[in-house]
Each structure stands twice: as C-alpha cells, then as structure tokens.
Amino acid sequence: MLVESPPEQRADTAPAPPTRRAVRAFGLLLSVAILVLVALASIAIGAKELSLGQVWHGLFEDSGTYGDVVVAERLSRTVLGLLAGAALGLAGAVLQALTRNPLADPGLLGINAGASAAAVTAITYFGVTSLSGYVWFAFFGAAAVGALVWFLGGSRGATPVRLALAGTAISAALYGYLQAVMIMDEAALGKMRFWTVGSLASATDSTITQVLPFLLTGTVLALALARPLNAMAMGDDTAKALGANLNRTRALSMLAATVLCGAATAACGPIVFVGLMVPHVVRSFTGPDLRWILPYAAILSPVLLLGADVLGRIVARPSELQVGIVTAILGGPVFIFLVRRRRTAQL
C-alpha cells in the first residue's frame, strides 16, 4: 500500500517556480543570442550574397579576396549599427523616464534636429564634404541644443513638461531652417538629403573610433542613473525622501541622452523611432524598473536597427533603402498603435 507524503513534505520536494529575476536574466541572455544572429545576418546579407564559409573566412582570415573585402566593409557597418542602436535605445529609455512620457524619444528634445542642422551648416557654408569632418559639427550641434533645451526648460527648476515643450519648439525651428537651406542650395542638396535620412552605409573604422569614447561615456552614465530615475518615477516628494538629488539627476540624464543621441546621429544621421519603440516594448515585459529596461534596450535596439538595415538591403536590390527610411516606415504604424492603446487605457 502506498503511503501518501504529508502536505508539507510534498511542498518541500516540489520544484520552486522560477523567480521574476531569473526569468529576466534568461530573457537578457536570449536577447544577446538574437543580437548575435542579427549581426551575422548583417555581415552575410547584402547586394552580394555570401556563404557562411565566406563570412568566416573574411572575419578570421585575411587573403584580400573580394569576399573578404565585402565582409570587412559590412563588419564596420555592423559595428556602427550595434553602437548606434544601443545608444539610441538607452537615450530613449532615459528620456522616457526623465519626461515621464512612455512615448518620448530622442527627437522630443530636439537633439536629432540640432545634429542635423549643424551637419547641414557645415556642408553648405563651410564646404565640409567628408564624414570625418562634419561628424564633429553634428555632435556639437546636438550638445548645443541639449544645453539650450535645459536652459529654456528652467535649468535647475526644469520639469518634464517644460523640457518637452522647449525641445518641440526648437525642433520645429531647426527643421524649418533645414528646409530653407536645402531649397536655397541645390548643389549641396544631394549630400544633405543622403545624410538627413539616416544611414549606416558610410560606416568606416575612423567614424567608429571618433564616436566610440562618447558612446561609452554616455552608456556608463545612463546605466548609473537607473536607481535615481527609478526614485523620480515615484514622484518628486518621494524621490527627495529617498535621498535622490532631482536637479542633478535631471541634468545628468539630459547629458547622457545628449551624448548618446548626439554621437549616434553624428555618425549615421537622424534615425527615428528606435529610441521610442524598443524601450516602450521592453517596459511591457520587464516592468518599470530601469535597472532592467536599460540593459534590455541597449541589446534589443541594435536588433531593430540592424534588422531594418538588412531589410533595406533586401527589398531594393541591387540598390538599398536607407535604414532611416525603413525605421520610419516601420515606426509610424507602431507609434499610432501605441498612442491608441495608451488613449484606450486612459478612458
């Protein structure tokens, strides 16, 4: 005759359900695996198809064949996509936390517009023609607009609403300036149009080297702000009671977003919706804790950016569709869906 175990013994021997932390950690590892696969696809897929053997040969053996040259060019493009995607995702997550608006993105504070306006000015009025030349104009344009938005938003007394309003107003003015310059200067129109749509096609080792220090600095700063931004999400009074310095956190958040988005925009032009979509989607399964949102955004944003870049190469063979256009086409319907869902939830 079988003897039934006491209830407490059965409970002790039963496997414990996985904790939410373990599930999140597993999801992070799975995201890294997906990123590796997308990065390999970015190297292998293009106007010229390459086999896995050719990709392996081009990555680890240097014989100077045509396939190896293609792999080397695509490797720079893929690395820039990884860095720029992570930067845009982190910047979007920080800005959404700073403005307390889950539909915010780096373009909300005029950072993209500042970089675009500075690059177009360099091309049109200073005769700068190389990427290594106007990448610095674009970066400092983004930084200048970030500082201006912080000042107009109230500086030490800045609030999320003031920052968003100041960024929107400056963006409108700068995009008006961009349109005026493009209309008046037909000679530079082609170059400016190519740059302002956002592209990874001009990636070089030099470009990566120039923006890498800024991207690393911004990434470290953004990750360090997870705890104080979590405190601010509970309200200013609660954040103060928990010991958070509101003015310092807002200033450092603006700095991190400006450095990340400015460097990414300077390297590959203004790419929209990446910083909006990924943090918003990530928040749906990680919850509001930025200690998880930021790492997930840094990993999954390059997945979206590189995936869009690969898609742009496939749909327009033997030419290609720029990644900024692909993300805009994909992001428009997603943004409308998010707005409608948010509105429905508020009713």
Side-chain angles (χ1 to χ4, degrees):
M1 183 176 65
L2 296 175
V3 179
E4 188 176 1
S5 301
E8 52 276 347
Q9 182 178 349
R10 291 199 307 270
D12 291 340
T13 57
T19 64
R20 189 168 186 178
R21 181 185 295 272
V23 173
R24 287 170 173 172
F26 174 77
L28 208 58
L29 293 175
L30 181 61
S31 300
V32 172
I34 295 172
L35 178 59
V36 171
L37 293 177
V38 174
L40 291 176
S42 177
I43 297 174
I45 299 175
K48 175 180 173 56
E49 289 286 354
L50 297 178
S51 66
L52 291 179
Q54 287 176 304
V55 172
W56 179 271
H57 192 274
L59 287 175
F60 300 105
E61 301 179 26
D62 185 14
S63 63
T65 64
Y66 177 75
D68 295 343
V69 172
V70 171
V71 168
E73 292 177 352
R74 292 183 188 171
L75 181 61
S76 296
R77 183 171 183 160
T78 301
V79 171
L80 182 60
L82 291 170
L83 295 174
L88 293 172
L90 286 171
V94 168
L95 289 177
Q96 288 175 13
L98 175 65
T99 60
R100 299 174 192 168
N101 181 359
L103 300 180
D105 77 330
L108 179 68
L109 298 185
I111 298 172
N112 282 348
S116 300
V120 167
T121 299
I123 294 171
T124 305
Y125 298 110
F126 296 98
V128 180
T129 58
S130 65
L131 178 64
S132 60
Y134 57 70
V135 66
W136 294 103
F137 282 88
F139 178 76
F140 288 117
V145 169
L148 182 59
V149 168
W150 175 249
F151 174 76
L152 294 178
S155 190
R156 294 180 64 85
T159 63
V161 174
R162 287 181 179 179
L163 291 173
L165 289 175
T168 301
I170 292 174
S171 293
L174 289 177
Y175 280 123
Y177 164 76
L178 286 172
Q179 294 299 320
V181 171
M182 290 187 194
I183 291 173
M184 292 187 297
D185 191 343
E186 295 183 2
L189 178 61
K191 294 178 181 177
M192 291 187 295
R193 181 172 52 200
F194 178 81
W195 191 87
T196 54
V197 297
S199 172
L200 299 175
S202 300
T204 62
D205 293 342
S206 175
T207 304
I208 295 171
T209 302
Q210 290 173 18
V211 299
L212 184 60
F214 298 102
L215 294 175
L216 292 177
T217 301
T219 298
V220 172
L221 182 56
L223 294 175
L225 289 168
R227 288 184 180 275
L229 284 173
N230 276 342
M232 286 180 59
M234 295 184 285
D236 290 355
D237 292 337
T238 303
K240 289 179 181 178
L242 293 174
N245 188 320
L246 300 184
N247 292 327
R248 182 177 64 189
T249 300
R250 286 172 181 152
L252 291 177
S253 298
M254 279 292 299
L255 177 61
T258 299
V259 170
L260 287 169
C261 186
T265 304
C268 49
I271 297 176
V272 297
F273 287 119
V274 174
L276 164 68
M277 288 190 290
V278 176
H280 192 88
V281 172
V282 164
R283 193 180 295 106
S284 67
F285 59 83
T286 63
D289 191 346
L290 283 162
R291 292 174 299 177
W292 289 100
I293 292 175
L294 292 174
Y296 266 101
I299 294 171
L300 292 179
S301 294
V303 171
L304 173 60
L305 186 60
L306 289 176
D309 190 42
V310 171
L311 181 62
R313 296 182 225 172
I314 294 174
V315 299
R317 284 177 175 170
S319 183
E320 68 177 65
L321 200 61
Q322 304 305 320
V323 67
I325 298 174
V326 178
T327 57
I329 293 173
L330 296 176
V334 173
F335 182 74
I336 294 172
F337 169 76
L338 294 176
V339 170
R340 288 183 60 85
R341 190 177 72 168
R342 179 172 171 79
R343 182 181 177 183
T344 302
Q346 291 174 344
L347 293 178

